[in-house]
Amino acid sequence: MTTTTIRLATDQDWPNIYPFYAAIMAEGKTYAFPEGQTLDDARPWWMEQPPGQTVVAIEDDAIVGSAKMGANRPGRGAHVATASFLVDPAHQNRGVGRVLGLYVLDWARAEGFKSIQFNAVVEVNEAAVHLWHSLGYDIVGTAPASFDHPEAGLVGLHMMYQHL
């Protein structure tokens, strides 16, 4: 069994994250990020700046996933964390997302956040919805027809929440 370790991402990691970032964005099933981003265009969309952070998941010296996390909103919303996740398609369904998800929960608690909220989980992304439920998140609302899925058409975006 391969062990997944998590560490802070460095600037040197970005060229290794970008290929699966670009593949996932091109697929168009999970994120409403701009399409066709270059390596340099995409960097600020994923590489979070302090006090937030971006991490990488490593297996056998290869980056197999990444997460970015920080405050959901500034000011009076800064007590609520948020995060986004990517798992290299070649390494999906092996627990990498769960390891990243657990890391984010531990980070948010350690940083003193009171809760964590995902603003836009595509409702037909069954793997993500299942994972977040299994880690204690609840769906607190769904904005109908808010995401244009390439196969399912207009689908809802769940807001998922967990009190810490």
Side-chain angles (χ1 to χ4, degrees):
M1 181 175 183
T2 303
T3 301
T4 304
T5 59
I6 306 296
R7 67 164 170 78
L8 286 175
T10 67
D11 287 338
Q12 292 74 29
D13 292 325
W14 176 242
N16 295 312
I17 298 167
Y18 176 74
F20 61 87
Y21 170 98
I24 290 166
M25 297 313 151
E27 188 179 52
K29 295 180 180 180
T30 54
Y31 283 97
F33 285 13
E35 295 181 27
Q37 294 176 315
T38 66
L39 178 78
D40 291 333
D41 292 339
R43 181 188 305 265
W45 284 86
W46 197 256
M47 297 299 284
E48 195 74 24
Q49 297 301 309
Q53 66 174 282
T54 299
V55 297
V56 290
I58 307 289
E59 291 182 355
D60 299 325
D61 296 323
I63 296 174
V64 297
S66 182
K68 67 175 193 154
M69 63 216 77
N72 191 44
R73 297 280 182 255
R76 295 196 175 271
H79 62 285
V80 180
T82 194
S84 298
F85 303 83
L86 297 171
V87 176
D88 183 333
H91 298 275
Q92 290 177 349
N93 302 310
R94 295 187 7 219
V96 175
R98 177 172 296 278
V99 172
L100 286 165
L102 289 168
Y103 176 91
V104 165
L105 286 169
D106 289 345
W107 175 85
R109 287 184 182 104
E111 292 295 311
F113 288 97
K114 305 300 181 201
S115 59
I116 186 166
Q117 172 180 314
F118 300 152
N119 299 319
V121 180
V122 177
E123 70 180 343
V124 296
N125 185 351
E126 295 173 5
V129 172
H130 175 78
L131 174 59
W132 305 139
H133 274 304
S134 77
L135 292 180
Y137 292 83
D138 293 313
I139 296 170
V140 295
T142 303
S146 296
F147 186 83
D148 189 3
H149 192 277
E151 294 165 1
L154 297 178
V155 299
L157 289 173
H158 293 318
M159 179 187 292
M160 299 188 77
Y161 174 89
Q162 183 175 158
H163 178 75
L164 299 173

